[in-house]
Amino acid sequence: MEKQHNLSKNQKIIFDLIDKSPEPLKAYSILFNVQKKGINAPLQVYRALDKLVEIGKIHKIESRNAFIACQNSSCQISKATAFSICESCEKVSEISNTKLSKYLSNFADQAGMKYSKYNLEFFGLCKKCKSK
Amino acid sequence: MEKQHNLSKNQKIIFDLIDKSPEPLKAYSILFNVQKKGINAPLQVYRALDKLVEIGKIHKIESRNAFIACQNSSCQISKATAFSICESCEKVSEISNTKLSKYLSNFADQAGMKYSKYNLEFFGLCKKCKSK
DNA sequence: TTGTAAATGTTATATTATTACATTGTGTTA
DNA sequence: TAACACAATGTAATAATATAACATTTACAA
Ligand SMILES: [Zn+2]
Ligand SMILES: [Zn+2]
Ligand SMILES: [Zn+2]
Ligand SMILES: [Zn+2]
């Protein structure tokens, strides 16, 4: 049984916004959108984002400095993440592929390093953009 | 035969600095270090970095906003990159593993997206830090 | 109820990256 | 060589992303 995380007020406001969004949101765009709810400063946004990332409710798309809700119900913690990113329309999807995640989780290189986490970002054209 | 890229003056100064560095360098740390060589503005650094990334001489470590020289002689273009990152000492190495790169280059997900590029970052503890 | 950790509020500041515009260098081809 | 096109440079201003420092409040369990 996973630990239940009761989101705080700010965390909930910000998670709901990201969760409803069809595309990854940037921190200052989030800030702009939640000012009517009383969240006024960047730090309030970044603190909520940090916590939401930590508990796996959202992920950061590193190449875009943007945040997306976890689309994988079993992905409670952001230890093994993979995304596909369309370089034309910027659509981002979380990849949920057992074979891939097993392959990467078991990967061990020559340097004797043991990994506890990975993040993978694929780039290309989505179906829609490809057929244009 | 790969296209030969003759680096320009600024590109060479900045590449040499990154290439000599044992760790990834950040843009403004690069700027600070090349001011004695007549490079005075952030944009001069970012332009050189962009070009060096484009031709595959360096890679950007997205999770760190830092740049590392390509450690893989066959990696002329940054289309398929993988790194290991020590979360304790911040040591970064480029992973060069044919099986891994083949696996990822051939990966196709359900969404019908065809990928032209990927970037993978593994996190953990390096040998040294693990044994502390 | 009291101690502790988490979350919040607020101001200021640090860090990373780009826009806009003018100029100079480099290599190709008429 | 002259003319052109394109890459690279120089400079100033500003945008976008993220954190430091400090005071206060809330949640919740011992
Ligand atoms: Zn997820
Ligand atoms: Zn697309
Ligand atoms: Zn490389
Ligand atoms: Zn280490």
Side-chain angles (χ1 to χ4, degrees):
Chain A
M1 191 67 180
E2 287 289 339
K3 184 168 186 303
Q4 170 74 25
H5 288 281
N6 296 309
L7 299 186
S8 71
K9 175 175 147 285
N10 288 1
Q11 288 160 15
K12 186 157 184 359
I13 290 170
I14 287 171
F15 175 71
D16 286 346
L17 182 69
I18 296 173
D19 194 38
K20 279 186 326 216
S21 170
E23 62 207 349
L25 294 179
K26 298 185 151 240
Y28 276 73
S29 136
I30 293 170
L31 175 57
F32 179 81
N33 275 282
V34 296
Q35 281 182 326
K36 47 183 170 293
K37 305 223 172 181
I39 295 178
N40 302 300
L43 191 49
Q44 294 176 292
V45 173
Y46 281 104
R47 282 197 283 225
L49 290 173
D50 285 351
K51 185 69 185 184
L52 291 168
V53 166
E54 185 193 327
I55 64 180
K57 300 280 289 180
I58 66 172
H59 304 301
K60 181 173 188 182
I61 309 300
E62 291 287 356
S63 65
R64 298 297 185 262
N65 296 319
F67 299 85
I68 191 176
C70 180
Q71 294 164 29
N72 176 358
S73 59
S74 71
C75 177
Q76 293 290 334
I77 291 202
S78 314
K79 278 192 176 161
T81 48
F83 304 94
S84 73
I85 302 171
C86 176
E87 290 185 299
S88 171
C89 70
E90 291 294 324
K91 179 177 163 53
V92 174
S93 307
E94 186 167 1
I95 295 172
S96 173
N97 182 295
T98 312
K99 268 187 160 175
L100 176 67
S101 61
K102 274 198 177 146
Y103 183 86
L104 292 177
S105 297
N106 292 326
F107 181 79
D109 74 350
Q110 304 83 344
M113 192 158 162
K114 179 61 188 156
Y115 303 120
S116 56
K117 213 169 89 180
Y118 69 77
N119 179 55
L120 170 59
E121 296 180 4
F122 281 106
F123 305 88
L125 292 177
C126 74
K127 225 171 178 173
K128 228 172 168 177
C129 292
K130 206 168 43 179
S131 64
K132 268 180 191 159
Chain B
M1 191 68 180
E2 288 287 339
K3 185 171 186 302
Q4 171 71 26
H5 288 284
N6 296 309
L7 299 186
S8 72
K9 175 174 147 285
N10 288 2
Q11 288 160 17
K12 186 156 183 2
I13 290 170
I14 287 171
F15 175 70
D16 286 345
L17 183 69
I18 296 173
D19 195 37
K20 277 187 327 214
S21 170
E23 62 206 352
L25 294 180
K26 300 186 150 237
Y28 277 73
S29 135
I30 292 170
L31 176 57
F32 178 80
N33 275 281
V34 296
Q35 282 182 327
K36 46 183 171 290
K37 304 224 173 183
I39 296 176
N40 302 299
L43 189 49
Q44 294 176 292
V45 173
Y46 280 104
R47 281 197 286 224
L49 290 173
D50 285 351
K51 186 68 186 188
L52 291 168
V53 165
E54 185 193 328
I55 64 179
K57 300 279 289 180
I58 65 172
H59 304 302
K60 182 173 187 182
I61 308 301
E62 292 287 356
S63 65
R64 297 299 185 260
N65 297 318
F67 300 84
I68 191 175
C70 180
Q71 293 162 31
N72 176 356
S73 60
S74 70
C75 177
Q76 293 290 334
I77 292 201
S78 315
K79 276 190 176 163
T81 47
F83 303 94
S84 73
I85 302 171
C86 176
E87 290 185 299
S88 169
C89 70
E90 291 294 325
K91 179 178 164 51
V92 174
S93 307
E94 186 167 1
I95 295 172
S96 172
N97 183 297
T98 312
K99 267 186 158 175
L100 175 67
S101 62
K102 274 197 177 146
Y103 184 87
L104 293 176
S105 296
N106 292 326
F107 181 80
D109 75 350
Q110 303 84 344
M113 191 159 163
K114 178 61 187 154
Y115 304 119
S116 56
K117 211 168 88 180
Y118 69 77
N119 179 54
L120 171 58
E121 298 181 3
F122 281 107
F123 304 89
L125 292 178
C126 73
K127 225 173 181 174
K128 227 171 166 178
C129 292
K130 207 168 40 179
S131 64
K132 269 180 192 161

